Amino acid sequence: MKLANVFPFLDWLSIYKKSWLKGDISAGLTVGVMLIPQGIAYAMIAGLPPIYGLYTAMIPQVAYAIFGTSRQLAVGPSAMDSLIVASGIGAIATVGSEHFIALAILLALLIGLIQLAFGLFRLGFIVNFLSKPVISGFTSAAALIIGFNQIKHLFGVDISRNHQLQYLVFDAIEQLKNINYPTFFIGITSILIIVLLKRYFKKIPAALVVVILGVLVVKIFNLHQYGVKIVGNIPKGLPNFNIQQFNLATIHELGPLALTLALIAFMEAISVAKAIESKHMNYKVKANKELIALGLGNIVGSLFQSYPSTGGFGRTAVNNQSGANTPFAAIISAIVVALTLLFLTPLFYYLPKAVLGAIIMVAVFSLLDFKVPYQLWKYTKRDLIILNVTLLVTATIGIKEGIITGVLFSLIMLIYKSTKPHVAILGNVPNTYLYRNIKRFDNLIVLKDVLIIRFDAQLHFANTTYFKDTIYSEARKKGKKLKIIVIDGESLNNLDSSGVYALEEVLKYFKEKKIKLYFTGLKGPVRDTIYKSNIIKDIGQEYCFMSIQEAIDYYQEKTKTDNKKKYTHQRNV
């Protein structure tokens, strides 16, 4: 086994070029500076002291730099995952308490173990159960919940943390009369500055600018004495190595939350990594190795007091735009955060929470997905229903409930759709050997005594009844003139035992009516099943053809021969 298969960093380290160093250092410094206010802000979403956001911004990305296959993915805390942490653990422990903090760190360990196991056993495909409509609906709902939870920081009022949108909106309206105007001014100004800098001066770290300005304004004008809430003391120093104590009861409580968050975090990271990979031609992102890297990042992070982490879209985009060539940029970012922990945390004492609220609100606004619902409205109303149901349940009932509802709804829709797959009745395109759906093409040649049908799905237990009913119904439409039915197997890629029994019933049914079944274009796996089940004896080897035209030619030739024999017999008589 190659060492590079275990330690993917050896792939890029062995070919590292001197010309890459400038880009890596530039990107590392930029993302490192960006991570400081982000780490503090996202810890606030998670209900944790700011220091844990900085720990999470430093440790996991070092582990990912060693084991990850993406060269630009920036790992650390994320807004959506932080919300799920606060929502899930908040149901077990008081937000911000020592027990809450311990559970958040333990959650990172459990998530890491799940991701590591999924990666080792190549189970990355499980994330496919989180369909695009589910993710879009969930993400938009999460953005709204996160955004409305920041109103208390933006207005300087007391609104209880909540993960149900209707209560947040009601409480916000109730507290409008109690707005602290210095706080409100700081928050709104911060939002405007961030938006303007992001639009017109993209290279300037907008979040850091408002953090510095916020600290200076509060300190110079003593605004904390006028009700402006500040972050206060952030401990100095690097995180200590610590293994969280836990028992089976705790694991049982956190298990469902850990599994949910492990999948969502992986989905976030792999989608971002794949998007960035498409812009580079010198490496390949491997899903199962990404699971291992993210898992080890969370495991190692939990041992140094980090809460759950994943790859972030915004950070990764900045990392890529700033010239990152390899994960060495992530090492630089981690060093920036480490230096901040060692020497600079006292500078954030006067940081107003309104500034953090502004940073969060601007960040999560990009999570609101208006494009996907518009697209779904145009071409698939069924998926739009899934999106809206997920959004409403997540926003009004709960985070986990929303995800579970969305996944279950998607599976129900999938199962329903598989019970009634697309079926096409085919006709011949004049002067060709092509056969097309008579409902989609005009002027096709349709023989009165032939029914050509294509079943666009696997034939399995869930749709055999629909298969039989459709063939019987279409045969009745043809009436007594029908002589043969041609089943086009081009789209039939599998056949289970129920499908075999269904074919036997159909063969028996039409045999009694003296109607012959021809099969064309059967794929290898289907032919294997037909031969192994011995149903080929009922079908007849001579009635299996490579193409529809071959079957039609055989039928017409056989009809001519039979008619000629019949005519000769009548003359002799």
Side-chain angles (χ1 to χ4, degrees):
M1 180 186 291
K2 290 183 178 180
L3 273 177
N5 289 332
V6 180
F7 301 103
F9 80 96
L10 294 174
D11 267 337
W12 57 264
L13 189 62
S14 61
I15 58 169
Y16 198 87
K17 299 175 183 177
K18 190 177 179 180
S19 59
W20 292 353
L21 188 60
K22 183 180 177 181
D24 282 344
I25 292 175
S26 173
L29 291 173
T30 303
V31 174
V33 167
M34 182 183 181
L35 270 168
I36 295 163
Q38 262 195 3
I40 295 172
Y42 291 163
M44 191 164 71
I45 296 175
L48 296 165
I51 192 70
Y52 292 96
L54 295 177
Y55 293 161
T56 308
M58 180 179 67
I59 303 298
Q61 66 175 327
V62 176
Y64 180 84
I66 297 171
F67 295 99
T69 58
S70 171
R71 297 187 184 178
Q72 283 80 30
L73 187 67
V75 173
S78 78
M80 193 158 67
D81 291 6
S82 297
L83 173 67
I84 299 173
V85 169
S87 170
I89 302 179
I92 304 171
T94 304
V95 174
S97 66
E98 288 297 320
H99 184 45
F100 182 94
I101 295 169
L103 289 177
I105 296 169
L106 176 60
L107 181 62
L109 175 63
L110 295 178
I111 289 169
L113 291 172
I114 291 170
Q115 289 175 330
L116 178 61
F118 278 11
L120 291 173
F121 290 101
R122 301 180 179 276
L123 299 177
F125 68 89
I126 292 176
V127 78
N128 294 332
F129 288 106
L130 296 171
S131 65
K132 181 66 176 177
V134 171
I135 294 302
S136 178
F138 170 74
T139 302
S140 295
L144 291 171
I145 293 168
I146 293 169
F148 273 90
N149 266 303
Q150 304 315 306
I151 288 178
K152 62 183 177 184
H153 301 302
L154 211 63
F155 288 0
V157 296
D158 291 324
I159 297 176
S160 299
R161 176 185 288 269
N162 205 307
H163 300 103
Q164 293 177 310
L165 192 60
Q166 64 272 29
Y167 297 118
L168 285 170
V169 173
F170 179 77
D171 289 347
I173 294 171
E174 283 283 299
Q175 291 291 338
L176 282 175
K177 59 183 180 292
N178 299 322
I179 289 178
N180 179 280
Y181 288 99
T183 299
F184 183 67
F185 176 78
I186 291 171
I188 293 298
T189 304
S190 298
I191 289 175
L192 291 173
I193 291 172
I194 294 170
V195 171
L196 290 172
L197 288 178
K198 281 180 175 290
R199 177 168 293 183
Y200 300 109
F201 305 96
K202 294 181 179 180
K203 291 188 177 181
I204 297 176
L208 189 64
V209 169
V210 295
V211 164
I212 294 170
L213 291 175
V215 169
L216 291 174
V217 167
V218 171
K219 187 172 183 179
I220 292 170
F221 297 101
N222 293 316
L223 294 181
H224 57 293
Q225 296 179 5
Y226 296 91
V228 175
K229 295 179 181 178
I230 59 176
V231 169
N233 185 53
I234 300 177
K236 287 174 64 176
L238 299 176
N240 296 320
F241 179 84
N242 184 37
I243 300 176
Q244 292 297 317
Q245 300 296 317
F246 60 90
N247 52 44
L248 290 177
T250 305
I251 293 176
H252 179 73
E253 284 183 310
L254 291 178
L257 178 64
L259 177 60
T260 302
L261 199 45
L263 293 176
I264 289 174
F266 172 60
M267 180 277 304
E268 288 180 80
I270 195 67
S271 59
V272 174
K274 287 287 188 183
I276 296 298
E277 176 206 30
S278 64
K279 300 178 182 180
H280 299 268
M281 303 297 292
N282 59 339
Y283 70 89
K284 178 79 173 172
V285 170
K286 299 174 182 177
N288 289 308
K289 287 188 182 295
E290 286 297 287
L291 269 169
I292 292 171
L294 292 168
L296 289 172
N298 277 308
I299 291 169
V300 175
S302 71
L303 299 177
F304 291 91
Q305 303 177 63
S306 297
Y307 75 96
S309 64
T310 189
F313 180 79
R315 287 191 303 271
T316 303
V318 170
N319 198 36
N320 186 57
Q321 291 164 8
S322 301
N325 295 297
T326 70
F328 183 63
I331 305 295
I332 301 296
S333 297
I335 291 171
V336 171
V337 178
L339 291 173
T340 302
L341 283 166
L342 286 170
F343 306 110
L344 303 179
T345 53
L347 298 178
F348 296 100
Y349 182 87
Y350 290 100
L351 175 59
K353 290 186 176 182
V355 168
L356 295 176
I359 293 170
I360 292 167
M361 290 189 85
V362 174
V364 299
F365 181 76
S366 62
L367 295 176
L368 288 171
D369 198 341
F370 300 103
K371 185 179 178 181
V372 170
Y374 176 71
Q375 291 173 335
L376 297 181
W377 172 260
K378 290 195 295 185
Y379 62 82
T380 170
K381 302 289 192 301
R382 185 179 294 164
D383 283 354
L384 182 62
I385 292 171
I386 294 172
L387 186 152
N388 288 327
V389 167
T390 304
L391 191 153
L392 289 172
V393 173
T394 302
T396 60
I397 298 176
I399 307 294
K400 288 186 294 182
E401 291 82 356
I403 296 170
I404 292 169
T405 300
V407 171
L408 289 177
F409 215 73
S410 296
L411 290 174
I412 290 169
M413 288 288 195
L414 178 65
I415 292 168
Y416 174 77
K417 191 175 180 180
S418 74
T419 63
K420 293 187 175 182
H422 180 258
V423 176
I425 306 303
L426 307 181
N428 177 238
V429 179
N431 302 315
T432 73
Y433 291 152
L434 302 176
Y435 288 80
R436 295 291 182 263
N437 189 341
I438 62 174
K439 291 183 179 179
R440 293 180 178 271
F441 293 83
D442 298 325
N443 304 317
L444 298 180
I445 299 171
V446 179
L447 300 174
K448 293 180 179 179
D449 54 347
V450 177
L451 171 64
I452 307 172
I453 189 167
R454 190 184 71 222
F455 194 71
D456 293 334
Q458 299 180 28
L459 187 56
H460 54 73
F461 67 94
N463 59 29
T464 53
T465 300
Y466 182 70
F467 171 77
K468 291 184 292 184
D469 290 346
T470 302
I471 290 182
Y472 297 158
S473 174
E474 294 297 332
R476 282 194 292 270
K477 290 178 185 178
K478 283 283 189 178
K480 294 182 179 179
K481 292 182 179 180
L482 181 63
K483 299 299 181 184
I484 69 163
I485 296 173
V486 179
I487 297 179
D488 179 16
E490 286 289 343
S491 302
L492 189 66
N493 55 19
N494 199 14
L495 191 67
D496 72 359
S497 59
S498 298
V500 171
Y501 290 124
L503 283 180
E504 286 179 343
E505 287 183 41
V506 169
L507 287 163
K508 184 178 179 181
Y509 176 86
F510 285 111
K511 185 177 181 181
E512 291 175 356
K513 295 184 177 296
K514 294 181 169 49
I515 297 172
K516 206 69 185 173
L517 261 66
Y518 290 7
F519 291 81
T520 70
L522 294 177
K523 296 182 183 297
V526 176
R527 292 200 306 272
D528 291 343
T529 303
I530 285 174
Y531 278 93
K532 288 177 182 177
S533 64
N534 219 24
I535 195 177
I536 188 65
K537 288 184 177 180
D538 296 323
I539 294 172
Q541 178 70 52
E542 68 274 23
Y543 296 116
C544 292
F545 304 91
M546 295 294 290
S547 68
I548 297 173
Q549 189 61 51
E550 188 179 326
I552 298 298
D553 290 344
Y554 175 85
Y555 166 67
Q556 290 178 336
E557 187 63 35
K558 189 172 186 298
T559 302
K560 285 180 185 178
T561 303
D562 290 346
N563 287 339
K564 189 175 180 180
K565 287 180 179 178
K566 183 177 180 182
Y567 175 74
T568 304
H569 175 71
Q570 288 174 345
R571 283 190 63 185
N572 291 336
V573 171

